[in-house]
Amino acid sequence: MTARSVEDHRRHVAALLAALHTRHAEDVSLGDALGRVLASDVHSPVDLPLFRNSQMDGYAVDAASIRVVPAVLPVRGVIAAGPVDPASHVPGTAYRIMTGAPIPDGADAVVPVEDTETTDGQVRITRARHAGEYVRERGSDVLAGTLLLASGEILAARHIAVLAAVGLQHVPVRTRPRVAIITTGAELVDAGSTLKPGEIFDSNGIALASSVRANGAEVVSIARSGDDPAEFQKLLAEATTAADLVLTSGGVSMGDFEVVRDALTSLGAEFGHVAMQPGGPQGTAVVDGVPVLNFPGNPVSVLVSFEVFARPEIRRAAGLPLIEPEELPLATAITSIPGKRQFLRARRTDSGVELVSGPGSHLVAAMAWADVLVDVPPDVTTLDAGQLVKVIPL
Ligand code: AMP
Ligand code: MG
């Protein structure tokens, strides 16, 4: 791979990841459905409310009997919410009824308890009500057979609530792309270890895993290789058995211990430079039929590479909407190097987007403080305060 533009590399990655989009739907229980993407339309199997019921604690009556108030009616019984034998109404009488309890056939209004006085098996009603008042009609929320939720809906608590209310136990959702992650570098150790001189904590593994999950995909494994190509190859072979996509970090630039490059070049991988900063060195491969994206190791480069190349494809495959760029004014003037598309870390403020720290791709704290990337085209070298720029929300 020779030097490429960001757009060319995006297209190349999109073609490699095309197979991710062909995976099927699966049924999950409602308890596992949160955040999943509905794979087909769901029609209601029942009417909601399921039966005519009371909206208030009060008295079920026929409105005709309380047209003149006060009206005194005999109380024939009490209907609580819960399993009951259906009651039938006798005009000129009342049932004491609780919220959610089935209204007797023939009753057409509920008088709230506040408008009543009860003595000796009789209720005195002080305020007239129209037919239909405080009655929740069967099917007034949704009718059986009508569309409840459309394919593509990202299931939130309220969606899961209605699926449960109509009695569904499972729901068809899009399968999540399965992603394996391999970080590389002899210097990397787990948080919690005592650092020897020259060692650092591995942040890319968890960063990529979190990025993957945040975009609707599933992490099947996170592994770490030292700088020995044989070790990396072994981990990669394991990763490809369970994943639809493998992401790697580090070992792709021009140093002496470029483990990913060394291990994959003989397998037909392409390594080269994308005209961007950060994230210039990039590689791609297909190993055992599984696409592999090789991102550089610097913590900002790896996150920016994910956002620019992997995020759109993973979201598409997961059925999630793409994160569209926005246009915002710059809070201060900025400069950018010629010939490279820059993705500058910045955050939104009341006076526009403001750069967070410098362009160094090791500045992982500054990345955390950013909430957008300012996308500066390769041919632009200066931008004035107030000028509109394209930003990519993080
Ligand atoms: P590399 O691309 O392997 O040359 O790595 C570039 C820089 O990123 C080096 O300073 C590495 O120590 C650092 N780096 C590589 N991998 C990780 C990682 N998983 N977590 C944190 N820093 C890393
Ligand atoms: Mg390395």
Coordinates of all heavy atoms in Angstrom, one line a residue, residues 184-185 187 227 250-251 257-258, ligand 2:
T184 N -0.1 -5.0 21.0 CA 1.3 -5.5 20.9 C 2.2 -4.5 21.6 O 2.0 -3.3 21.6 CB 1.7 -5.7 19.5 OG1 1.7 -4.4 18.8 CG2 0.7 -6.6 18.7
G185 N 3.3 -5.1 22.1 CA 4.4 -4.3 22.6 C 5.0 -4.9 23.9 O 4.3 -5.3 24.8
E187 N 6.6 -3.6 26.0 CA 6.6 -2.6 27.1 C 5.3 -2.7 27.9 O 5.1 -2.0 29.0 CB 6.8 -1.2 26.6 CG 5.7 -0.5 25.8 CD 5.6 -1.0 24.3 OE1 6.1 -2.1 24.0 OE2 5.1 -0.2 23.5
D227 N 6.7 -8.5 21.4 CA 7.2 -8.1 20.1 C 7.8 -9.3 19.3 O 8.6 -9.1 18.4 CB 8.2 -7.0 20.2 CG 7.5 -5.7 20.5 OD1 6.3 -5.5 20.1 OD2 8.0 -4.8 21.2
G250 N -0.5 -1.2 17.5 CA 1.0 -1.2 17.6 C 1.7 -2.0 16.5 O 1.1 -2.8 15.8
G251 N 3.0 -1.8 16.4 CA 3.8 -2.7 15.6 C 3.6 -2.5 14.1 O 3.8 -3.5 13.4
F257 N 11.1 -3.2 15.8 CA 10.4 -4.3 16.4 C 8.9 -4.2 16.0 O 8.1 -4.0 16.9 CB 10.6 -4.4 17.9 CG 12.1 -4.5 18.3 CD1 12.8 -3.3 18.7 CD2 12.7 -5.7 18.2 CE1 14.1 -3.4 19.0 CE2 14.1 -5.8 18.6 CZ 14.8 -4.6 18.9
E258 N 8.6 -4.2 14.8 CA 7.3 -4.0 14.3 C 6.6 -5.3 14.1 O 6.5 -5.9 13.1 CB 7.3 -3.1 13.0 CG 8.0 -1.8 13.1 CD 7.4 -0.8 14.1 OE1 6.4 -1.2 14.8 OE2 7.9 0.3 14.2
Ligands
MG2 MG 5.3 -1.5 19.6

